[in-house]
Amino acid sequence: MLTNNDILKIIKTANIGIPKIKKTTEEILSMDTSDKIDYLAVSIFDAYNKHIIDKEKFLNSIRQIQGIDAQLYPTPEKVLERIKWLEDMDLKYTQTGLSQNHREVLEIFDKFNIMTSQNNIDHYYTSGILPFLLTNTELQRFHHDIDIFVNLEQLKLLEDVSKKYGFNFIRKFGYRDDGLKRRIIKMYYKNYDLPMTIFMFQRTKDGFVIQNEFIYDENDKLKVEEMYSTPECVELSFSDKTNFHNNIPYKAITMEALYECKDGLRPKDIYDCKIMEKYVDKEKLGKLKQQLKSCPKNKIFDVEDIKMRSFINGDDLER
């Protein structure tokens, strides 16, 4: 194990790489070991790529970095493999190290679950950390947010109780691919820069689940786009099973629905799908793919209900 003086020498070399996110020596020394190695390895790699240091100094620095924790990285080659993985996953430059990110995301997850459990809030997690939690796999990649479906009828309750549990309920604006402005609801825990992104849904008496996206037309009039899931899709997508993390209950979409929504070309989705592959029920996945084809087309309506308009708009008058 290297001493702090040894690490200071590595930091001095690493800093000449002029990383996109430069940290002070004190910040680097206070990082978790794995985060520290990631930061130093990426900085040294950048210095080498910019021809600031030569190959001999680069390889010598990698050997030193590997020595910070030889159990975590038994050989210098493992450090090089780590750099390649961080590059492939677009994780070379992050304000927060992976270990810290994982601690924060799981803390937020547990705190949010306490809130939903104690207030009987109808919800389903989707995307993000689910591939890891549902397969009992340790978090591995970086997570920028946590996505969750919340019943539209309980959003006011969620806003009312959020501060009691340390969350801020925030309305934001974003733009869709078609250029229309949309209302986004985020929740932040304490001072963590890692939001919960809220997707709104409703249940119908005949078994449909309708996802709601609130948008503003060219005249700045509030509308809602409704996206429909048939009862058959609901059965295959929204699980009745209660899951637990740290003995705290939570609900989630099914493994098959999660796999289907991540079946794309983004590196993080490909990575997540590999984790889920052996857990997915291929027969149910096939049925879900078929049922998705029979879901009704989306419809857009004016938001006539005054209370709903007021809630979605919030206190923000500048739209």
Side-chain angles (χ1 to χ4, degrees), residues 4-43:
N4 275 354
N5 284 334
D6 295 324
I7 295 173
L8 286 173
K9 294 176 183 177
I10 301 172
I11 291 172
K12 186 176 180 180
T13 303
N15 277 342
I16 64 176
I18 316 173
K20 292 182 180 179
I21 299 175
K22 191 168 183 175
K23 298 183 182 294
T24 65
T25 298
E26 292 73 20
E27 286 175 323
I28 297 170
L29 289 175
S30 67
M31 295 169 78
D32 286 353
T33 299
S34 58
D35 292 344
K36 190 183 301 173
I37 291 173
D38 285 348
Y39 179 83
L40 293 175
V42 166
S43 300

Side-chain angles (χ1 to χ4, degrees), residues 154-171:
Q154 294 184 301
L155 269 184
K156 182 63 170 64
L157 169 62
L158 185 63
E159 182 178 26
D160 290 344
V161 303
S162 59
K163 284 187 179 179
K164 176 183 173 183
Y165 294 87
F167 286 91
N168 290 318
F169 189 100
I170 298 174
R171 295 165 177 81

Side-chain angles (χ1 to χ4, degrees), residues 90-279:
D90 196 22
L91 294 176
K92 284 177 65 182
Y93 310 108
T94 57
Q95 286 285 1
T96 305
L98 274 178
S99 297
Q100 183 179 341
N101 174 256
H102 294 165
R103 282 199 310 273
E104 290 182 1
V105 74
L106 291 176
E107 181 183 353
I108 294 168
F109 184 74
D110 284 345
K111 296 297 184 182
F112 199 88
N113 292 339
I114 290 171
M115 179 167 58
T116 57
S117 175
Q118 292 183 351
N119 293 279
N120 297 314
I121 292 173
D122 188 14
H123 70 281
Y124 293 96
Y125 283 95
T126 179
S127 193
I129 61 177
L130 275 188
F132 302 90
L133 295 182
L134 294 181
T135 60
N136 292 315
T137 302
E138 286 189 11
L139 299 186
Q140 297 171 17
R141 63 173 181 82
F142 197 90
H143 297 277
H144 296 89
D145 63 2
I146 302 173
D147 297 336
I148 185 170
F149 288 106
V150 175
N151 195 314
L152 183 60
E153 296 177 3
Q154 294 184 301
L155 269 184
K156 182 63 170 64
L157 169 62
L158 185 63
E159 182 178 26
D160 290 344
V161 303
S162 59
K163 284 187 179 179
K164 176 183 173 183
Y165 294 87
F167 286 91
N168 290 318
F169 189 100
I170 298 174
R171 295 165 177 81
K172 293 188 173 186
F173 290 106
Y175 287 89
R176 309 194 324 170
D177 291 340
D178 59 9
L180 288 178
K181 186 160 49 178
R182 66 189 181 105
R183 180 55 101 184
I184 303 168
I185 293 179
K186 302 270 189 181
M187 294 184 70
Y188 289 85
Y189 182 67
K190 293 183 177 178
N191 62 340
Y192 295 163
D193 188 24
L194 205 161
M196 306 276 305
T197 301
I198 307 296
F199 296 93
M200 295 160 270
F201 77 95
Q202 292 175 294
R203 300 181 187 275
T204 67
K205 293 180 180 178
D206 52 357
F208 279 74
V209 162
I210 303 172
Q211 184 180 337
N212 300 269
E213 182 165 73
F214 290 91
I215 57 179
Y216 296 88
D217 66 15
E218 59 277 3
N219 298 314
D220 216 24
K221 185 174 182 179
L222 183 64
K223 295 178 178 289
V224 60
E225 180 168 9
E226 295 186 347
M227 294 155 268
Y228 305 92
S229 292
T230 64
E232 293 78 14
C233 272
V234 172
E235 184 178 351
L236 291 164
S237 300
F238 296 92
S239 176
D240 289 331
K241 178 185 176 183
T242 299
N243 304 286
F244 291 87
H245 183 260
N246 288 335
N247 295 318
I248 307 167
Y250 70 93
K251 290 290 188 72
I253 63 173
T254 64
M255 190 81 73
E256 292 71 36
L258 184 61
Y259 190 90
E260 170 63 18
C261 74
K262 283 186 163 290
D263 189 14
L265 297 176
R266 296 188 306 176
K268 67 177 184 178
D269 290 334
I270 294 171
Y271 191 84
D272 290 353
C273 282
K274 285 182 179 179
I275 290 174
M276 293 187 287
E277 271 179 346
K278 64 180 181 180
Y279 298 93

